[in-house]
Amino acid sequence: MHALTPTRLSLALAAAGVAVIALLAAPQGLEAQGMEDDNPAVLWSMRGEELWATPVGPKQATLEDCDLGLGPGVLHGAYAQLPRYFEDSGKVEDLESRIVTCRMTLQGMSREQAEAGHFSATGEDSDMEAVVTYVVEQSQGIPMNAPSDHPAEQAAYAMGKEFFYFRSGPHDFGCVTCHSQDGLRIRLQALPNLAKPGGAAETYPSWPAYRVSQGTVRSMQHRLSDCLRQQRLPPVAYNSDLLIALTSYLAQESKGAPITAPGLKR
Amino acid sequence: MGSPMRIRAASDGEMIEVKVLMRHEMETGRRKGPDGELVPALYINAVTADYEGKRVFNGHWGPAVSKNPFLSFRFKGAAGGKVTVTWTDISGDTRTDEATVS
């Protein structure tokens, strides 16, 4: 159960009820440095690279011509400029929804097929988690620069921001309820202050991330869906306007911050 | 068969440092599944590494090693040779990958 990484060590010690304050500095350092040699996310990226170039779907096509905003097949730096408005779909898309669009247009899949298995479950790997890890890795070190020129990009940002501060649900929680103070944590997990200027920049560019506690890479949409669940809201649909809006808000707030993803988190 | 490992091997002229990531569930046999039943144990119990045909690492592992394990070790050697790593789990499933030392 316990590996030799600092992350695992602190988890193991925490389980044993031992104070781990000093050790916690190590995994945070790791996050700041981006993908380290011991980050299993690299295994997802390797699989993603293979999936990217594998012909599938009714059209037996690969994803190699997928246009992530910088032109067909251009991966380098593409993640830094997402979400963005796409003329062809007439929508603001984040990485995950854009890959779904490419699966539908290039590979001829239905939406249902293209979105199948978007989050992994025990014993079931997710192709989306692997592909996303591969694509994001091609933007490592590049500063976030999600565009905000198009009115649709501005509208998505505004909706995400409004929702961030909007309290709802049985506990009357908003994102802001849990994410507006410095230095808080829940159990061993740091609770970022996303309401202060530069707050999002400290965490958004580290997603997607390998979660040691879950043994898999989790995407941004998974992170947000889980927070909405913690907010006690009904499940939100994958690639829904709300998830794209929240992602647009966090991405645009992170302007200038270099991408460190795939991250490594507890 | 298993999924591919990621092996990095680099020499500073004197020592070779090998870093390996393996994809494996490493089930301990003590975890309960959603149905309340114990999930059967399935973990890597043997890891070996060869450099140019010579055994440089021999490990006996147990259920206390994490899922998707990371392994790092060092030995004397220069760049150019090939490091071959093999794991075998308790079901007999095995996987071998190699990397050239840079």
Side-chain angles (χ1 to χ4, degrees), chain A residues 146-199:
Chain A
S148 53
D149 304 328
H150 196 279
E153 291 159 355
Q154 293 162 9
Y157 174 94
M159 177 175 163
K161 183 171 186 178
E162 186 177 359
F163 189 83
F164 185 88
Y165 290 96
F166 186 79
R167 287 166 37 177
S168 60
H171 292 328
D172 201 26
F173 274 4
C175 311
V176 67
T177 316
C178 298
H179 289 297
S180 58
Q181 286 178 70
D182 284 324
L184 290 189
R185 63 181 170 81
I186 174 149
R187 291 182 223 103
L188 278 175
Q189 186 59 47
L191 212 49
N193 181 350
L194 298 170
K196 68 175 179 192

Side-chain angles (χ1 to χ4, degrees), chain A residues 99-115:
Chain A
I99 289 170
V100 165
T101 299
C102 285
R103 284 208 186 285
M104 291 166 66
T105 54
L106 299 175
Q107 301 179 320
M109 294 186 187
S110 67
R111 173 164 296 278
E112 204 188 347
Q113 290 169 326
E115 291 185 345

